[in-house]
Amino acid sequence: MIHKLLLLLFTSWMIQLTPVAFSESTASTPMENIVYMERTPGSQEMIVLGHIHTLASVLGSEEAARKAIIYCYKNTINGFSALLTKVQVEELSKQPGVLKILPAPMYHLPQEVDVSTP
């Protein structure tokens, strides 16, 4: 009985973790996007430098690219997440090596879970 109750609570909690909305960039408001890139050989450091160089070609400088990048994916996939406006997403999608750019999903955690027994 307790296992079923715990399973029910866990399942309802997981359902609440499903993506509610995707962040969408506007012309002037940067939002988080995930940039998928072609796999390139090299060390982890070289992969990160490739991400910075690609983004810098759109943002204008390596400093701006470093500030915009949130996380670099180097193991399973090659890419990065960054704060980008809609215009920047369009420009970046035209760069060599960029496969796809997707908005990062926004998750809403439950505020509280009622665990009282009926």
Side-chain angles (χ1 to χ4, degrees):
M1 177 67 178
I2 265 219
H3 295 306
K4 288 183 181 181
L5 179 60
L6 290 174
L7 180 62
L8 178 64
L9 288 172
F10 179 75
T11 303
S12 64
W13 180 72
M14 288 301 292
I15 289 171
Q16 293 179 17
L17 286 179
T18 56
V20 175
F22 287 90
S23 56
E24 290 190 24
S25 303
T26 64
S28 61
T29 306
M31 299 298 283
E32 185 177 356
N33 289 272
I34 300 173
V35 180
Y36 295 90
M37 299 187 64
E38 292 177 354
R39 175 69 61 190
T40 54
S43 68
Q44 302 243 340
E45 184 177 305
M46 293 300 294
I47 292 170
V48 171
L49 288 174
H51 297 165
I52 293 167
H53 178 72
T54 300
L55 187 55
S57 68
V58 172
L59 300 184
S61 73
E62 286 192 5
E63 183 181 343
R66 288 178 190 275
K67 287 181 181 179
I69 291 177
I70 298 169
Y71 186 80
C72 286
Y73 302 95
K74 305 170 292 248
N75 297 317
T76 307
I77 64 168
N78 182 27
F80 57 92
S81 62
L83 294 174
L84 303 168
T85 65
K86 192 172 190 171
V87 172
Q88 291 167 338
V89 167
E90 290 170 5
E91 289 179 35
L92 188 59
S93 66
K94 298 173 188 172
Q95 297 300 311
V98 175
L99 300 175
K100 184 179 250 187
I101 302 174
L102 297 174
M106 292 176 51
Y107 292 91
H108 297 282
L109 298 174
Q111 296 300 317
E112 59 184 67
V113 176
D114 184 13
V115 291
S116 62
T117 56

